[in-house]
Amino acid sequence: MKILLVSDAESRYIWDFFSKDTFKDIELVISCGDLNSSYLSYLATMIHVPVLYVHGNHDHNYIENPPGGCECIDDKLVVYKGIRILGLGGSMKYKNGPFLYTESEMNKRINKLSFNLFLKKGFDILVSHAPASGINDDNDLCHEGYRCFNKLLDKYSPKYFLHGHVHMNYGKKPRTTIYKNTTIINAYEYYILEY
């Protein structure tokens, strides 16, 4: 299955020069946050596949104008074609506002999902906006990763962890990283994952 991953920056290649043939094999779109609501609606319309998303730290406009034709998977464990996908959007709390969480608050969100995770025997893909602590994150509070994400990866060993937030143009940030049995992908702008 081919999954289109998007995050943080609208791709001119997709937005301005869309070609149906280029994306004809895409079966699912996953957004890791911080994208224009109309961009996600555009993807849902043009590619004609489900679009799943989590909130980024700049997605406060989604509160009044959520992306049309898309599904928010924040704080949910959804199953798509047998793939268990866990959504935990937002980033480290560096000011007051929506979709910003302290380490403790993010941990509470995960704890609320523990029974569902038990019933589904874990998950295959973790979708977040922020990275895990010490893996593709940065030193400033805004771009610091969550330690509780590391614990999730250690406990459930998912196949993939998808995140955004730390733009690849910030410096030498890898697109993919391996952490134990999990492939971590920075979805900045766009990336096609062959699941």
Side-chain angles (χ1 to χ4, degrees):
M1 175 191 301
K2 285 189 177 180
I3 304 172
L4 174 63
L5 312 178
V6 292
S7 188
D8 297 290
E10 291 80 13
S11 167
R12 289 195 65 216
Y13 175 70
I14 297 173
W15 188 260
D16 295 337
F17 306 105
F18 183 82
S19 167
K20 222 171 187 89
D21 287 341
T22 304
F23 299 99
K24 68 179 189 279
D25 296 331
I26 298 295
E27 295 183 50
L28 179 65
V29 176
I30 296 177
S31 169
C32 295
D34 279 0
L35 290 168
N36 190 306
S37 177
S38 60
Y39 182 68
L40 292 188
S41 300
Y42 172 83
L43 293 175
T45 301
M46 298 303 285
I47 302 179
H48 297 291
V49 298
V51 176
L52 308 178
Y53 70 91
V54 295
H55 294 102
N57 57 306
H58 297 299
D59 287 335
H60 45 83
N61 61 326
Y62 284 25
I63 295 168
E64 291 184 18
N65 184 31
C70 306
E71 180 184 352
C72 179
I73 60 167
D74 256 340
D75 302 315
K76 295 179 187 172
L77 178 57
V78 299
V79 179
Y80 180 76
K81 293 191 175 181
I83 301 170
R84 300 162 299 170
I85 304 169
L86 177 63
L88 290 164
S91 75
M92 195 63 77
K93 188 169 194 165
Y94 58 95
K95 63 178 185 175
N96 287 325
F99 316 125
L100 300 170
Y101 307 93
T102 64
E103 178 75 35
S104 175
E105 289 168 338
M106 183 62 76
N107 200 48
K108 284 179 186 172
R109 292 172 68 196
I110 292 168
N111 288 339
K112 286 180 182 177
L113 292 161
S114 60
F115 185 66
N116 206 4
L117 287 166
F118 171 75
L119 289 178
K120 297 274 196 270
K121 297 183 169 85
F123 58 97
D124 303 299
I125 299 176
L126 171 59
V127 179
S128 74
H129 183 59
S133 178
I135 309 170
N136 301 343
D137 63 349
D138 262 337
N139 296 327
D140 60 303
L141 180 60
C142 176
H143 296 97
E144 189 177 304
Y146 287 101
R147 292 185 308 277
C148 51
F149 287 174
N150 300 65
K151 292 176 187 174
L152 267 179
L153 300 180
D154 290 341
K155 183 173 181 177
Y156 295 102
S157 196
K159 193 166 186 169
Y160 292 101
F161 172 26
L162 317 175
H163 72 84
H165 194 47
V166 183
H167 298 198
M168 292 183 69
N169 60 359
Y170 285 175
K172 292 190 175 184
K173 297 293 175 189
R175 173 68 79 178
T176 61
T177 305
I178 303 296
Y179 175 80
K180 299 183 180 178
N181 297 317
T182 303
T183 300
I184 300 172
I185 301 173
N186 184 337
Y188 176 75
E189 195 173 21
Y190 82 96
Y191 181 83
I192 295 175
L193 167 63
E194 295 208 29
Y195 186 92

